[in-house]
Amino acid sequence: MVTTAASVNLLKLLQDKATRLRIDSIRATTAAGSGHPTSCASAADIVSALFFSVMRYDPKQPHSPANDVFVLSKGHAAPVLYSAWSEAGLFPREHLLTLRQTNSDLEGHPTPKLPYVDVATGSLGQGLPVGLGIALNAKLEKSDQRIYVLMGDGESAEGSVWESAELGANDALDNLCAIIDVNRLGQSGPTMLQHHMEVYKARWEAFGWHVIVVDGHDISALLKAFDEAEETKGKPTIILARTLKGKGIVGIEDKEGWHGKPLPKEEADRAVAVLEKSLTGEADTWTPKLPDQRATPAVASPTGAMPTSPYAIGGKEVATRKAFGDALHELGKVNPRVVALDADVKNSTFTEEFMTTAPQRFFEGYIAEQNMVGMSMGLAARGKIPFSSTFACFFTRAFDFIRMAAISQLNVKFAGTHVGVSIGEDGPSQMGLEDIAMFGAEPNFTVLYPSDATSAWAATMLAADLVGPTYIRLGRPNNPIVYSPDEKFEIGKSKVLRQGNNDRILVVAAGVTLFETLKAYDELKKGGIDIRVVDLFSVQPIDRATLLASARAAGNQVITVEDHYSHGGLGDAVQSALSPSGIPVHKIAVTEIPHSGKPQELVEKFGISSKSIVAKVKEVL
């Protein structure tokens, strides 16, 4: 708590800083001709208290692991964040006037291109899940780092916020402090609860958080609340700050219709002139509160070489999901940066094996996939290599988080199991049939589709070594082993499994359809038709060179077969690779909504079996 002797000068300093944040936000958005000055103004006192009194950080090293962490979940208030770092001395104030310009790093919403931003924000409801991940990392590293997440009241309608509320309390993250800027007004009208602070309080208390309600423009009350949050043990804290949108801006304060609108220049000049009159000059005396010589954890590195795949050709059949679990289990032994998250299906994804190896690095996400992916983003932002696993179909719930992970260029890994109609009796709600399209649509994503246990083992190792977002597609059925333990796999490379001098057509497959293709190869060969077979393995990036050479050697005729919907899957990836060379691609895929049944019956019924492949080859020829 602020002492009486120090309070006067400190409060003047913080009030001046808040005023400068408002002035900067107005000027920057007016210069840009777009932005959210009123959303910045409501949060200015909160940000001032945090950046210039509460948080311990070195402005010269904005991403130091010793610093406390600030996550701006309400990313549209980016100018107030930029202004705070400018006030802290990271860059000149003049740079703020480049906001939203093509050649400026100060984008409309923050991205990790900036050294003081962990993840891209602006898609609301994501900051708190990310904050959970960063808080988990701090606990794992036994750091006294504190994590602060500033949210808007409008985003409290997002379900992901309440997923995080559950998990934050369940995991007793007392190093996490969330703040809601309750400014009453959303984009198109008032929020659901407006200023009913007692309702907000009751909800968060029901989720197990320590709740503090304050006047968000009373800096003394804010400082007291932050002190109380730091002293609270065994649960996270949320500060519900009652504010006014556009606070301090003449004629706009608490008025509807000003969300996302910059002030015209004359109004901006008038508002700035009024604000400048309140400045005392005390802000010029600020010095940062540097981290208290806290031990900075060393970057962990692998402690040993990875064992080779334990599966033998002709040995016991193994599902690719099981091989993934086996590989992750071994990774956990030798790479302390690897962590695992699962959405209450660890006995199906086999991440339970990792849990036995490194229980302190396994995080149960329960059935809350958005929050699980958000936590993985926070962990990745702080140097961990997170593997998030669930049924492939349930990643669709978290697609917006996956999209933002891609924008953030984070080192996140996703393992989706139970793909396609080959899962069988559970039916279409459980069948991942659009996952390649989903993950493949995101920039810089690597998409791997192993077919047997050896290649699934290799895919897991490759994903851990690769810096960048990665998706591994894993099946439910047990499959034969087609690759020896010493087979080498590479990202961006495929495998030619069958070839001859008289190949008349190329068939490209992966997963369960590879084995259907091998059956078709045997049947066609009996009838005097030779086909070339490629196991795609790496869907993105794709092995265009091998595909092109194989197609040329097989009469420039190509068929793809996949346990995925036709649009956006393996077939489209191959078609995109070969179409510039004028090579036609004939796709075999699931073309209708499937239903329950025996796996092999469904493979037959929905046209991706060896029988369908044989028929298609003959039709094309």
Coordinates of all heavy atoms in Angstrom, one line a residue, residues 295-366:
A295 N 16.4 -14.7 -9.8 CA 17.2 -15.6 -10.6 C 16.4 -15.8 -11.9 O 15.3 -16.2 -11.9 CB 17.3 -16.9 -9.8
T296 N 17.1 -15.6 -13.0 CA 16.5 -15.8 -14.3 C 16.8 -17.3 -14.7 O 18.0 -17.6 -14.8 CB 17.1 -14.9 -15.3 OG1 16.9 -13.5 -14.9 CG2 16.5 -15.1 -16.7
P297 N 15.8 -18.1 -14.9 CA 16.1 -19.5 -15.3 C 16.9 -19.6 -16.6 O 16.6 -18.9 -17.5 CB 14.7 -20.1 -15.4 CG 13.8 -18.9 -15.6 CD 14.4 -17.8 -14.9
A298 N 17.8 -20.5 -16.6 CA 18.6 -20.7 -17.8 C 17.7 -21.4 -18.8 O 16.7 -22.1 -18.5 CB 19.8 -21.6 -17.5
V299 N 18.0 -21.2 -20.1 CA 17.2 -21.8 -21.2 C 17.5 -23.3 -21.2 O 18.7 -23.7 -21.3 CB 17.6 -21.2 -22.6 CG1 16.9 -21.9 -23.7 CG2 17.3 -19.7 -22.6
A300 N 16.5 -24.1 -21.0 CA 16.7 -25.5 -20.9 C 17.1 -26.1 -22.2 O 16.6 -25.6 -23.3 CB 15.5 -26.2 -20.3
S301 N 17.9 -27.1 -22.2 CA 18.2 -27.8 -23.5 C 18.1 -29.3 -23.3 O 18.1 -29.8 -22.2 CB 19.7 -27.4 -23.9 OG 20.6 -27.8 -22.9
P302 N 18.0 -30.0 -24.4 CA 17.9 -31.5 -24.3 C 19.0 -32.1 -23.5 O 20.2 -31.7 -23.6 CB 17.9 -31.9 -25.8 CG 17.3 -30.8 -26.5 CD 17.9 -29.6 -25.8
T303 N 18.7 -33.1 -22.7 CA 19.7 -33.7 -21.9 C 20.3 -35.0 -22.4 O 21.1 -35.7 -21.8 CB 19.1 -34.0 -20.5 OG1 17.9 -34.9 -20.7 CG2 18.7 -32.7 -19.8
G304 N 19.8 -35.4 -23.6 CA 20.3 -36.6 -24.2 C 19.7 -36.8 -25.6 O 18.8 -36.1 -26.0
A305 N 20.2 -37.8 -26.3 CA 19.8 -38.1 -27.7 C 18.5 -38.9 -27.6 O 18.2 -39.7 -26.7 CB 20.8 -38.9 -28.4
M306 N 17.6 -38.6 -28.6 CA 16.3 -39.3 -28.7 C 16.6 -40.8 -29.2 O 17.3 -41.0 -30.1 CB 15.4 -38.6 -29.7 CG 14.6 -37.5 -29.0 SD 13.6 -38.1 -27.7 CE 12.7 -39.4 -28.4
P307 N 15.9 -41.7 -28.5 CA 16.0 -43.1 -29.0 C 15.3 -43.2 -30.3 O 14.4 -42.4 -30.7 CB 15.3 -43.9 -27.9 CG 14.4 -42.9 -27.2 CD 15.1 -41.6 -27.3
T308 N 15.7 -44.2 -31.1 CA 15.0 -44.5 -32.4 C 13.7 -45.1 -32.2 O 13.4 -45.7 -31.1 CB 15.9 -45.3 -33.3 OG1 16.2 -46.6 -32.6 CG2 17.2 -44.6 -33.6
S309 N 12.9 -45.1 -33.2 CA 11.6 -45.7 -33.2 C 11.7 -47.2 -32.8 O 12.6 -47.9 -33.3 CB 11.0 -45.6 -34.6 OG 9.9 -46.5 -34.7
P310 N 10.8 -47.7 -32.0 CA 10.9 -49.1 -31.5 C 10.1 -50.1 -32.3 O 10.0 -51.3 -32.0 CB 10.3 -49.0 -30.1 CG 9.3 -47.9 -30.2 CD 9.8 -46.9 -31.2
Y311 N 9.5 -49.6 -33.5 CA 8.6 -50.5 -34.2 C 9.3 -51.2 -35.4 O 10.2 -50.6 -36.0 CB 7.4 -49.7 -34.7 CG 6.9 -48.7 -33.7 CD1 7.1 -47.3 -33.8 CD2 6.2 -49.1 -32.6 CE1 6.7 -46.4 -32.9 CE2 5.8 -48.3 -31.6 CZ 6.0 -46.9 -31.8 OH 5.5 -46.0 -30.8
A312 N 9.0 -52.4 -35.6 CA 9.6 -53.2 -36.7 C 8.6 -53.5 -37.8 O 7.4 -53.8 -37.5 CB 10.2 -54.5 -36.1
I313 N 9.1 -53.5 -39.0 CA 8.3 -53.9 -40.1 C 7.8 -55.3 -39.9 O 8.5 -56.2 -39.6 CB 9.1 -53.8 -41.5 CG1 9.5 -52.4 -41.8 CG2 8.3 -54.4 -42.6 CD1 10.4 -52.2 -43.0
G314 N 6.5 -55.5 -40.1 CA 5.9 -56.8 -39.9 C 5.6 -57.1 -38.5 O 5.0 -58.2 -38.2
G315 N 5.9 -56.2 -37.6 CA 5.6 -56.5 -36.2 C 4.1 -56.1 -35.8 O 3.3 -56.0 -36.7
K316 N 3.8 -56.0 -34.6 CA 2.5 -55.8 -34.1 C 1.9 -54.4 -34.7 O 2.7 -53.4 -34.7 CB 2.4 -55.7 -32.6 CG 1.1 -55.4 -32.0 CD 1.1 -55.4 -30.5 CE -0.2 -55.0 -29.9 NZ -0.1 -54.9 -28.4
E317 N 0.7 -54.4 -35.1 CA 0.1 -53.2 -35.7 C -0.1 -52.2 -34.5 O -0.4 -52.6 -33.4 CB -1.2 -53.5 -36.3 CG -1.1 -54.3 -37.6 CD -2.4 -54.5 -38.4 OE1 -3.4 -54.0 -37.9 OE2 -2.4 -55.0 -39.5
V318 N 0.2 -50.9 -34.9 CA 0.1 -49.8 -33.9 C -0.6 -48.6 -34.5 O -0.3 -48.3 -35.7 CB 1.5 -49.4 -33.4 CG1 1.5 -48.3 -32.4 CG2 2.3 -50.6 -32.8
A319 N -1.5 -48.0 -33.7 CA -2.1 -46.8 -34.2 C -1.1 -45.6 -34.1 O -0.3 -45.5 -33.3 CB -3.3 -46.5 -33.3
T320 N -1.3 -44.7 -35.1 CA -0.4 -43.5 -35.1 C -0.5 -42.7 -33.8 O 0.4 -42.1 -33.4 CB -0.6 -42.7 -36.3 OG1 -2.0 -42.3 -36.5 CG2 -0.1 -43.4 -37.6
R321 N -1.7 -42.6 -33.3 CA -1.9 -41.9 -32.0 C -1.1 -42.5 -30.9 O -0.6 -41.8 -30.0 CB -3.4 -41.8 -31.7 CG -4.1 -43.1 -31.5 CD -5.6 -43.0 -31.2 NE -6.2 -44.3 -31.2 CZ -7.0 -44.8 -30.1 NH1 -7.1 -44.0 -29.1 NH2 -7.5 -46.0 -30.2
K322 N -1.0 -43.8 -30.9 CA -0.3 -44.5 -29.8 C 1.2 -44.2 -30.0 O 1.9 -44.0 -29.0 CB -0.5 -46.0 -29.9 CG 0.3 -46.8 -28.9 CD 0.0 -46.5 -27.5 CE 0.5 -47.5 -26.4 NZ 2.0 -47.5 -26.4
A323 N 1.7 -44.2 -31.2 CA 3.1 -44.0 -31.5 C 3.4 -42.5 -31.1 O 4.5 -42.3 -30.6 CB 3.4 -44.2 -33.0
F324 N 2.5 -41.6 -31.3 CA 2.7 -40.2 -30.9 C 2.9 -40.2 -29.4 O 3.8 -39.5 -28.9 CB 1.5 -39.4 -31.3 CG 1.4 -38.1 -30.6 CD1 2.2 -37.0 -30.8 CD2 0.4 -37.9 -29.6 CE1 2.1 -35.8 -30.0 CE2 0.2 -36.8 -28.9 CZ 1.1 -35.7 -29.1
G325 N 2.0 -40.9 -28.6 CA 2.1 -40.9 -27.2 C 3.4 -41.5 -26.7 O 4.1 -41.0 -25.8
D326 N 3.9 -42.6 -27.4 CA 5.2 -43.2 -27.1 C 6.3 -42.2 -27.3 O 7.2 -42.1 -26.5 CB 5.4 -44.4 -28.0 CG 4.4 -45.6 -27.7 OD1 3.7 -45.5 -26.6 OD2 4.3 -46.5 -28.5
A327 N 6.3 -41.5 -28.4 CA 7.4 -40.6 -28.7 C 7.4 -39.4 -27.8 O 8.4 -39.0 -27.3 CB 7.2 -40.1 -30.2
L328 N 6.2 -38.9 -27.5 CA 6.1 -37.8 -26.5 C 6.6 -38.2 -25.2 O 7.3 -37.4 -24.5 CB 4.6 -37.3 -26.4 CG 4.4 -35.9 -25.8 CD1 5.1 -34.8 -26.7 CD2 2.9 -35.6 -25.7
H329 N 6.3 -39.4 -24.8 CA 6.8 -40.0 -23.5 C 8.3 -39.9 -23.5 O 8.9 -39.5 -22.5 CB 6.3 -41.4 -23.4 CG 6.9 -42.2 -22.3 ND1 6.5 -42.0 -21.0 CD2 7.8 -43.2 -22.3 CE1 7.2 -42.9 -20.2 NE2 8.0 -43.6 -21.0
E330 N 9.0 -40.3 -24.6 CA 10.4 -40.3 -24.6 C 11.0 -38.9 -24.7 O 12.0 -38.6 -24.1 CB 10.9 -41.1 -25.8 CG 10.6 -42.6 -25.7 CD 11.3 -43.3 -24.5 OE1 12.4 -42.8 -24.1 OE2 10.6 -44.2 -24.0
L331 N 10.3 -38.0 -25.4 CA 10.7 -36.6 -25.5 C 10.7 -36.0 -24.1 O 11.6 -35.2 -23.8 CB 9.8 -35.8 -26.4 CG 10.1 -35.6 -27.8 CD1 9.0 -34.9 -28.6 CD2 11.4 -34.8 -28.0
G332 N 9.7 -36.3 -23.3 CA 9.6 -35.8 -21.9 C 10.8 -36.1 -21.1 O 11.2 -35.4 -20.2
K333 N 11.5 -37.2 -21.4 CA 12.6 -37.6 -20.6 C 13.9 -36.8 -20.9 O 14.7 -36.6 -20.0 CB 13.0 -39.1 -20.9 CG 11.9 -40.1 -20.4 CD 12.3 -41.5 -20.8 CE 11.2 -42.5 -20.4 NZ 11.6 -43.9 -20.8
V334 N 14.0 -36.4 -22.2 CA 15.3 -35.8 -22.6 C 15.2 -34.3 -22.9 O 16.2 -33.6 -23.0 CB 15.8 -36.5 -23.8 CG1 16.1 -37.9 -23.5 CG2 14.9 -36.4 -25.0
N335 N 14.0 -33.7 -23.1 CA 13.9 -32.3 -23.5 C 13.0 -31.6 -22.4 O 11.7 -31.7 -22.5 CB 13.3 -32.2 -24.9 CG 13.4 -30.7 -25.4 OD1 13.5 -29.8 -24.6 ND2 13.4 -30.6 -26.7
P336 N 13.6 -30.9 -21.5 CA 12.8 -30.2 -20.4 C 12.0 -29.0 -20.9 O 11.1 -28.5 -20.2 CB 13.9 -29.7 -19.5 CG 15.2 -29.6 -20.3 CD 15.0 -30.7 -21.3
R337 N 12.2 -28.6 -22.2 CA 11.3 -27.5 -22.7 C 10.0 -28.1 -23.2 O 9.0 -27.3 -23.4 CB 12.0 -26.8 -23.9 CG 13.3 -26.0 -23.4 CD 13.9 -25.4 -24.6 NE 13.0 -24.5 -25.3 CZ 13.1 -24.2 -26.6 NH1 14.0 -24.8 -27.4 NH2 12.3 -23.4 -27.2
V338 N 9.9 -29.4 -23.4 CA 8.6 -29.9 -23.9 C 7.6 -30.0 -22.8 O 7.9 -30.6 -21.7 CB 8.9 -31.3 -24.6 CG1 7.5 -32.0 -24.9 CG2 9.7 -31.2 -25.8
V339 N 6.4 -29.5 -23.1 CA 5.3 -29.7 -22.1 C 4.1 -30.2 -22.9 O 4.0 -30.1 -24.1 CB 4.9 -28.3 -21.5 CG1 6.1 -27.8 -20.6 CG2 4.5 -27.3 -22.5
A340 N 3.2 -30.8 -22.2 CA 2.0 -31.4 -22.9 C 0.7 -30.9 -22.2 O 0.6 -30.7 -21.0 CB 2.1 -32.9 -22.8
L341 N -0.3 -30.6 -23.1 CA -1.6 -30.2 -22.6 C -2.6 -31.2 -23.3 O -2.4 -31.6 -24.5 CB -1.9 -28.8 -23.0 CG -0.9 -27.7 -22.5 CD1 0.2 -27.4 -23.5 CD2 -1.7 -26.4 -22.2
D342 N -3.7 -31.5 -22.6 CA -4.7 -32.4 -23.2 C -6.1 -31.9 -22.7 O -6.2 -31.3 -21.6 CB -4.4 -33.8 -22.8 CG -5.1 -34.8 -23.8 OD1 -6.3 -35.0 -23.7 OD2 -4.4 -35.3 -24.6
A343 N -7.1 -32.2 -23.5 CA -8.4 -31.8 -23.2 C -9.3 -33.0 -22.7 O -10.3 -33.3 -23.3 CB -9.1 -31.2 -24.4
D344 N -8.8 -33.6 -21.6 CA -9.5 -34.7 -21.0 C -9.7 -35.9 -21.9 O -10.7 -36.7 -21.7 CB -10.9 -34.2 -20.4 CG -11.5 -35.2 -19.5 OD1 -10.8 -35.9 -18.8 OD2 -12.8 -35.3 -19.4
V345 N -8.8 -36.1 -22.8 CA -8.8 -37.3 -23.6 C -7.4 -38.0 -23.6 O -7.1 -38.6 -24.6 CB -9.3 -37.1 -25.1 CG1 -10.8 -36.7 -25.1 CG2 -8.5 -35.9 -25.7
K346 N -6.7 -37.8 -22.6 CA -5.3 -38.3 -22.5 C -5.2 -39.8 -22.7 O -4.1 -40.3 -23.1 CB -4.6 -37.8 -21.3 CG -5.3 -38.1 -20.0 CD -4.6 -37.5 -18.8 CE -5.3 -37.7 -17.5 NZ -6.6 -37.0 -17.4
N347 N -6.2 -40.5 -22.3 CA -6.2 -41.9 -22.5 C -6.5 -42.4 -23.9 O -6.4 -43.5 -24.2 CB -7.1 -42.6 -21.5 CG -8.6 -42.2 -21.6 OD1 -8.8 -41.1 -22.1 ND2 -9.5 -42.9 -21.1
S348 N -7.0 -41.4 -24.7 CA -7.2 -41.7 -26.1 C -6.1 -41.1 -27.0 O -5.8 -41.7 -28.1 CB -8.6 -41.1 -26.6 OG -9.6 -41.9 -26.0
T349 N -5.6 -40.0 -26.6 CA -4.4 -39.4 -27.4 C -3.1 -40.0 -26.9 O -2.1 -39.7 -27.5 CB -4.4 -37.9 -27.2 OG1 -4.2 -37.6 -25.8 CG2 -5.7 -37.3 -27.6
F350 N -3.1 -40.7 -25.8 CA -2.0 -41.3 -25.2 C -1.0 -40.3 -24.6 O 0.2 -40.7 -24.4 CB -1.3 -42.3 -26.2 CG -2.1 -43.6 -26.4 CD1 -2.9 -43.6 -27.5 CD2 -2.1 -44.6 -25.5 CE1 -3.7 -44.8 -27.8 CE2 -2.9 -45.7 -25.7 CZ -3.7 -45.8 -26.9
T351 N -1.4 -39.1 -24.4 CA -0.5 -38.2 -23.7 C -0.4 -38.5 -22.2 O 0.5 -38.0 -21.5 CB -1.1 -36.7 -23.8 OG1 -2.4 -36.7 -23.3 CG2 -1.0 -36.2 -25.2
E352 N -1.2 -39.5 -21.8 CA -1.1 -39.9 -20.4 C 0.3 -40.6 -20.2 O 0.8 -40.6 -19.0 CB -2.2 -40.9 -20.0 CG -2.2 -42.2 -20.8 CD -3.3 -43.1 -20.5 OE1 -4.2 -42.7 -19.7 OE2 -3.4 -44.2 -21.1
E353 N 0.9 -41.0 -21.2 CA 2.3 -41.6 -21.1 C 3.2 -40.5 -20.7 O 4.1 -40.7 -19.9 CB 2.7 -42.2 -22.4 CG 1.9 -43.4 -22.8 CD 2.4 -44.1 -24.1 OE1 3.6 -44.0 -24.4 OE2 1.6 -44.6 -24.8
F354 N 3.1 -39.3 -21.3 CA 3.9 -38.1 -20.9 C 3.7 -37.8 -19.5 O 4.6 -37.4 -18.7 CB 3.6 -37.0 -21.8 CG 4.5 -35.7 -21.6 CD1 5.7 -35.6 -22.3 CD2 4.1 -34.8 -20.6 CE1 6.5 -34.4 -22.1 CE2 4.9 -33.7 -20.4 CZ 6.1 -33.5 -21.1
M355 N 2.5 -37.8 -19.0 CA 2.1 -37.5 -17.7 C 2.9 -38.3 -16.6 O 3.2 -37.8 -15.6 CB 0.6 -37.6 -17.5 CG 0.1 -37.1 -16.1 SD -1.7 -37.0 -16.0 CE -2.1 -38.8 -16.1
T356 N 3.1 -39.6 -17.0 CA 3.9 -40.4 -16.1 C 5.3 -40.1 -16.1 O 6.1 -40.3 -15.1 CB 3.7 -41.9 -16.4 OG1 4.3 -42.2 -17.7 CG2 2.2 -42.3 -16.4
T357 N 5.8 -39.5 -17.2 CA 7.2 -39.2 -17.3 C 7.6 -37.9 -16.7 O 8.5 -37.7 -16.0 CB 7.6 -39.1 -18.8 OG1 7.4 -40.4 -19.4 CG2 9.1 -38.7 -19.0
A358 N 6.7 -36.9 -17.0 CA 7.0 -35.5 -16.5 C 5.7 -34.9 -16.0 O 5.1 -34.0 -16.6 CB 7.6 -34.7 -17.6
P359 N 5.2 -35.4 -14.8 CA 3.9 -34.9 -14.4 C 3.8 -33.4 -14.1 O 2.8 -32.8 -14.3 CB 3.7 -35.7 -13.1 CG 5.0 -36.1 -12.7 CD 5.8 -36.4 -13.9
Q360 N 4.9 -32.8 -13.7 CA 5.0 -31.3 -13.5 C 4.8 -30.5 -14.8 O 4.5 -29.4 -14.8 CB 6.2 -30.9 -12.7 CG 7.5 -30.9 -13.5 CD 8.1 -32.3 -13.8 OE1 7.5 -33.3 -13.5 NE2 9.3 -32.3 -14.4
R361 N 5.1 -31.2 -15.9 CA 5.0 -30.5 -17.2 C 3.8 -31.0 -18.0 O 3.7 -30.7 -19.2 CB 6.3 -30.7 -18.0 CG 7.5 -29.9 -17.5 CD 8.7 -30.1 -18.4 NE 9.5 -31.3 -18.1 CZ 9.9 -32.2 -19.0 NH1 9.6 -32.0 -20.3 NH2 10.6 -33.2 -18.6
F362 N 2.9 -31.7 -17.4 CA 1.7 -32.0 -18.0 C 0.5 -31.2 -17.4 O 0.4 -31.1 -16.2 CB 1.3 -33.5 -17.8 CG 0.0 -33.9 -18.4 CD1 -0.1 -34.3 -19.7 CD2 -1.2 -33.9 -17.7 CE1 -1.3 -34.7 -20.3 CE2 -2.4 -34.2 -18.2 CZ -2.4 -34.6 -19.5
F363 N -0.3 -30.6 -18.3 CA -1.3 -29.7 -17.9 C -2.7 -30.2 -18.4 O -2.9 -30.2 -19.6 CB -1.1 -28.2 -18.3 CG 0.3 -27.7 -17.9 CD1 1.3 -27.5 -18.8 CD2 0.5 -27.4 -16.5 CE1 2.5 -27.1 -18.3 CE2 1.7 -26.9 -16.1 CZ 2.7 -26.8 -17.0
E364 N -3.5 -30.6 -17.5 CA -4.9 -31.0 -17.9 C -5.7 -29.8 -18.2 O -5.9 -28.9 -17.4 CB -5.5 -31.8 -16.8 CG -6.9 -32.3 -17.1 CD -7.0 -33.1 -18.3 OE1 -6.6 -34.3 -18.3 OE2 -7.6 -32.6 -19.3
G365 N -6.2 -29.7 -19.5 CA -7.0 -28.6 -19.9 C -8.5 -28.9 -19.8 O -9.3 -27.9 -19.9
Y366 N -8.9 -30.1 -19.4 CA -10.3 -30.5 -19.3 C -11.0 -30.2 -20.7 O -10.3 -29.9 -21.7 CB -10.9 -29.9 -18.1 CG -10.3 -30.3 -16.8 CD1 -9.3 -29.4 -16.2 CD2 -10.6 -31.5 -16.2 CE1 -8.6 -29.8 -15.1 CE2 -9.9 -31.9 -15.1 CZ -8.9 -31.1 -14.5 OH -8.3 -31.5 -13.4

